[in-house]
């Protein structure tokens, strides 16, 4: 059974029980008051009769009633019957005589003195009241029976029962129909949630959202929560898809980068094997100088490619550690000695450009939270990158301050790049078009440098122009009061 039907069933059941209890209470209250009023009138009439009764000892113990009292009884639609147990006679009120009705006369021992009973005679309903009559308190000689015609009251109560019954049934039917309509309307957004969930389950469209313009009730908050969940799920899916795409691209690029040195190494190894094989000595007598020259060249190529593979593997290891969430252990460092050591060692790097040390006074007293080894690795990456792409001209390093940040600027006059390339230069294995196939490299250095900068809470600013060089400014959060004593 659906929630709509269960809600409607519960609502209808509660309404039915409430109506039954309410109707029964109203009916009982009206029934009691209606017949209680009749009983009250009958008792009042009986008291008046008994207070004016005239029991005379005549021939046969005749019993008389006051004529005026009789008239009052006829006007009140209350009928009387006077029974004489001594001589066995009875007298009727004129109304009973006209209706040809006689009340049953009980034996003296069965008199219901002061009690009411309901009787039906000739299809008419009466409320009968009996009072014993006697010469004294102990001797019963007669019985006064008073009866009120309750046909009007009975019809009234019957009509009331009919109205209550059919009114309650009609109310329950209308209320249950409206309840089912409202439950269906209220639960309609839940159906949209189910449809959206099924759509996501059977398809790949995570951009589906549930339209809802109703009040911010429980269902509204539920739909809002589901939409937020779908939005987060779509975001996670996109991130995961991007990660898978980056992983596939990474594996493809890494395979490509590793294949070149491996091919070179295998080619040189095969060349050496052929040169030193017994078959080669038989057909082509060895020339020591030629073999020595070829061997040195092959070994040099193998060494260079091995070194290139080693750098590539180390770079990939650094990126793998970054992907695994490895963090850099940081401590307070004076930045000036770190940079000065990099500047001194950088002059020994392979280069064609002039190495210029600019103004580093801004580093005086500058303290950063970082790792010396990682900071130096990051600076060497930018410097080596500048040397690599600067065939002539210069590479300059200097420092600037801006608020609570220190900037290390590395500028070159090399080949530069197009501005459209800037957003991609920190992607793994990405290399600007002018350098592809011309300058050796793996395209991982700047990715590692960016990770180190992020780990230190810094940022990097890039200014470049094709054919005119590139400037990198590495910004790091810093304090400028030196280390505490």
């Amino acid at each position: 059974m659906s929630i709509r039907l269960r809600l409607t069933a519960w609502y209808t059941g509660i309404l039915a029980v409430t109506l039954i209890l309410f109707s029964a209470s109203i009916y009982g209250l009206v029934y009691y008051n209606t017949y209680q009023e009749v009983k009250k009138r009958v008792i009042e009439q009986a008291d008046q009769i008994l207070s004016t009764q005239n029991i005379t000892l005549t021939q046969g113990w005749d019993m008389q009633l006051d004529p005026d009292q009789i008239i009052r009884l006829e006007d009140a639609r209350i009928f009387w019957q006077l029974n004489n147990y001594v001589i066995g006679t009875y007298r009727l009120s004129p109304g009973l005589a006209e209706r040809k009705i006689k009340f049953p006369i009980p034996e003296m021992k069965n008199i219901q003195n002061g009690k009411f009973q309901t009787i039906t005679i000739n299809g008419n309903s009466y409320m009968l009241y009996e009072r014993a009559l006697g010469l004294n308190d102990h001797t019963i000689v007669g019985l006064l029976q008073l009866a009120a015609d309750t046909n009007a009251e009975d019809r009234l109560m019957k009509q009331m029962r009919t109205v209550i019954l059919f009114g309650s049934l009609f109310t329950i039917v209308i209320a249950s129909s409206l309840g089912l309509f409202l439950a269906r309307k209220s639960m309609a957004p839940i159906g949209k949630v189910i449809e959206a969930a099924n759509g996501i389950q059977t398809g790949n469209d995570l951009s589906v959202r549930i339209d809802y313009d109703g009040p911010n009730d429980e269902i509204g908050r539920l739909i809002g929560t589901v939409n937020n969940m779908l939005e987060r799920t779509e975001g996670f899916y996109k991130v995961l898809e991007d990660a898978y795409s980056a992983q596939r691209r990474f594996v493809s690029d890494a395979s490509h980068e590793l294949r070149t040195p491996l091919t070179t190494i295998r080619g040189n190894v095969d060349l050496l094997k052929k040169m030193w094989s017994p078959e080669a000595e038989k057909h082509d007598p060895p020339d020591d100088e030629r073999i020595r020259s070829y061997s040195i060249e092959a070994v040099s190529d193998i060494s260079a490619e091995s070194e290139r593979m080693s750098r590539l593997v180390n770079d990939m290891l650094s990126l793998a550690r970054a992907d695994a969430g490895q963090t850099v252990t940081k401590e307070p460092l004076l930045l000036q000695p770190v940079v000065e050591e990099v500047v001194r060692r950088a002059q020994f790097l392979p280069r064609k450009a002039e190495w210029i040390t600019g103004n580093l006074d801004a580093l005086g007293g500058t303290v950063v939270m970082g790792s010396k080894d990682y900071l130096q690795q990051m600076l060497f990456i930018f410097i080596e990158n500048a040397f690599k792409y600067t065939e002539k001209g210069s590479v300059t390093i200097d420092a600037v301050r801006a608020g609570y940040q220190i900037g290390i600027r590395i500028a070159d006059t090399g080949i530069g790049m197009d501005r459209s390339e800037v957003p991609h230069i920190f992607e793994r294995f990405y290399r600007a078009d002018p350098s592809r196939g011309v300058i050796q490299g793996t395209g991982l250095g700047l990715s590692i440098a960016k990770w180190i900068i992020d780990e230190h809470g810094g940022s990097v600013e890039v200014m470049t122009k094709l054919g005119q060089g590139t400037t990198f400014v590495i910004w790091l959060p810093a304090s400028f009061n030196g280390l505490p004593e």
Side-chain angles (χ1 to χ4, degrees):
M1 183 182 292
S2 65
I3 295 179
R4 292 192 296 268
L5 293 179
R6 288 203 298 269
L7 287 175
T8 304
W10 275 104
Y11 172 76
T12 304
I14 293 174
L15 179 62
V17 172
T18 304
L19 281 177
I20 290 173
L21 294 177
F22 179 75
S23 300
S25 301
I26 294 298
Y27 181 82
L29 182 63
V30 173
Y31 183 92
Y32 175 80
N33 289 333
T34 299
Y35 288 101
Q36 193 67 23
E37 184 65 25
V38 174
K39 292 178 181 180
K40 181 180 178 181
R41 295 201 326 265
V42 172
I43 292 175
E44 289 176 353
Q45 294 298 336
D47 291 340
Q48 291 179 12
I49 292 173
L50 292 179
S51 64
T52 59
Q53 66 177 327
N54 183 19
I55 301 176
T56 59
L57 186 58
T58 61
Q59 294 179 358
W61 294 89
D62 194 9
M63 302 181 69
Q64 300 289 336
L65 282 179
D66 185 0
D68 294 335
Q69 184 68 24
I70 294 174
I71 293 175
R72 288 196 297 272
L73 290 175
E74 290 296 334
D75 291 342
R77 294 177 58 248
I78 298 176
F79 309 104
W80 60 269
Q81 179 175 305
L82 183 63
N83 303 304
N84 191 331
Y85 285 107
V86 176
I87 60 176
T89 61
Y90 62 89
R91 299 177 67 180
L92 302 175
S93 66
L96 290 180
E98 293 174 358
R99 297 188 180 193
K100 298 180 181 180
I101 293 176
K102 173 187 174 184
F103 298 139
I105 303 174
E107 297 181 3
M108 285 191 293
K109 63 179 180 179
N110 295 328
I111 293 176
Q112 301 289 329
N113 191 28
K115 295 184 179 180
F116 286 90
Q117 53 183 316
T118 300
I119 62 174
T120 301
I121 302 175
N122 296 336
N124 296 314
S125 178
Y126 299 93
M127 186 171 288
L128 182 64
Y129 181 70
E130 298 178 347
R131 292 287 289 270
L133 302 175
L135 291 175
N136 50 51
D137 295 338
H138 303 288
T139 304
I140 297 175
V141 295
L143 176 65
L144 175 63
Q145 293 178 305
L146 295 174
D149 186 351
T150 59
N151 287 319
E153 286 78 4
D154 291 344
R155 285 193 298 272
L156 174 64
M157 299 311 299
K158 183 178 180 180
Q159 293 174 357
M160 187 175 182
R161 286 196 302 270
T162 303
V163 170
I164 289 177
L165 177 61
F166 286 99
S168 298
L169 291 176
F170 179 76
T171 302
I172 291 174
V173 171
I174 295 299
S176 60
S177 300
L178 291 177
L180 181 60
F181 171 76
L182 293 176
R184 183 173 299 172
K185 185 175 181 180
S186 299
M187 298 300 292
I190 303 298
K192 294 183 179 179
V193 174
I194 297 173
E195 291 178 2
N198 288 333
I200 293 173
Q201 180 182 1
T202 58
N204 294 322
D205 187 8
L206 295 177
S207 63
V208 177
R209 298 294 182 271
I210 303 171
D211 295 329
Y212 180 74
D213 55 358
N216 189 27
D217 52 9
E218 290 81 359
I219 294 179
R221 291 194 294 271
L222 171 62
I223 292 177
T225 302
V226 172
N227 283 335
N228 291 335
M229 181 186 67
L230 292 176
E231 184 176 355
R232 292 189 63 188
T233 302
E234 182 182 10
F236 291 151
Y237 183 81
K238 288 182 178 178
V239 171
L240 188 61
E241 184 66 23
D242 292 341
Y244 283 152
S245 177
Q247 183 182 25
R248 290 191 294 267
R249 187 171 63 252
F250 181 86
V251 172
S252 175
D253 291 341
S255 301
H256 175 76
E257 293 292 338
L258 288 172
R259 182 174 58 188
T260 301
L262 286 174
T263 301
T264 302
I265 292 173
R266 287 187 58 184
N268 283 282
V269 169
D270 291 340
L271 176 61
L272 291 176
K273 287 173 63 178
K274 289 179 180 179
M275 290 175 56
W276 292 99
S277 64
E279 290 79 5
E281 293 181 358
K282 292 179 180 179
H283 296 87
D284 188 9
D287 184 346
D288 293 341
E289 186 62 29
R290 181 170 59 87
I291 293 177
R292 180 175 179 274
S293 175
Y294 286 163
S295 299
I296 292 175
E297 184 178 351
V299 171
S300 298
D301 289 343
I302 292 173
S303 176
E305 295 299 333
S306 298
E307 183 178 355
R308 180 183 175 190
M309 288 179 59
S310 178
R311 288 197 305 269
L312 178 61
V313 171
N314 288 332
D315 290 345
M316 292 174 62
L317 179 60
S318 298
L319 292 176
R321 290 173 178 172
D323 292 340
Q326 178 177 338
T327 58
V328 175
T329 302
K330 298 183 286 290
E331 60 181 355
L333 290 175
L334 281 171
L335 189 58
Q336 187 172 9
V338 176
V339 176
E340 287 178 347
E341 183 177 350
V342 171
V343 171
R344 179 184 60 82
R345 292 166 55 187
Q347 61 184 330
F348 302 109
L349 293 175
R351 58 188 173 88
K352 296 180 180 180
E354 182 183 1
W355 174 233
I356 300 175
T357 302
N359 186 0
L360 298 176
D361 293 341
L363 298 176
T366 301
V367 177
V368 298
M369 288 295 298
S371 168
K372 176 182 177 181
D373 293 336
Y374 279 107
L375 287 175
Q376 289 185 341
Q377 181 184 1
M378 177 264 296
L379 292 175
F380 275 120
I381 289 173
F382 283 109
I383 294 171
E384 289 177 340
N385 191 73
F387 285 154
K388 186 185 302 181
Y389 295 106
T390 306
E391 292 290 329
K392 58 181 179 179
S394 63
V395 176
T396 305
I397 183 171
D398 60 2
V400 292
R401 287 187 184 182
Y404 291 97
Q405 288 191 324
I406 187 71
I408 304 172
R409 183 163 49 199
I410 301 172
D412 65 66
T413 59
I415 62 176
M417 69 186 89
D418 190 82
R419 292 182 182 274
S420 61
E421 302 285 344
V422 174
H424 306 287
I425 59 176
F426 295 104
E427 296 178 3
R428 299 174 186 182
F429 292 107
Y430 182 86
R431 299 173 66 195
D433 285 338
S435 67
R436 290 186 180 273
V438 178
I439 300 174
Q440 295 294 325
T442 62
L444 294 178
L446 291 181
S447 299
I448 298 172
K450 184 63 169 59
W451 170 69
I452 295 174
I453 293 172
D454 292 340
E455 286 294 311
H456 285 79
S459 61
V460 59
E461 183 179 355
V462 184
M463 294 163 285
T464 184
K465 188 172 183 181
L466 189 62
Q468 296 184 15
T470 303
T471 299
F472 290 94
V473 183
I474 301 100
W475 295 101
L476 298 174
S479 60
F480 303 101
N481 296 323
L483 292 174
E485 296 291 337

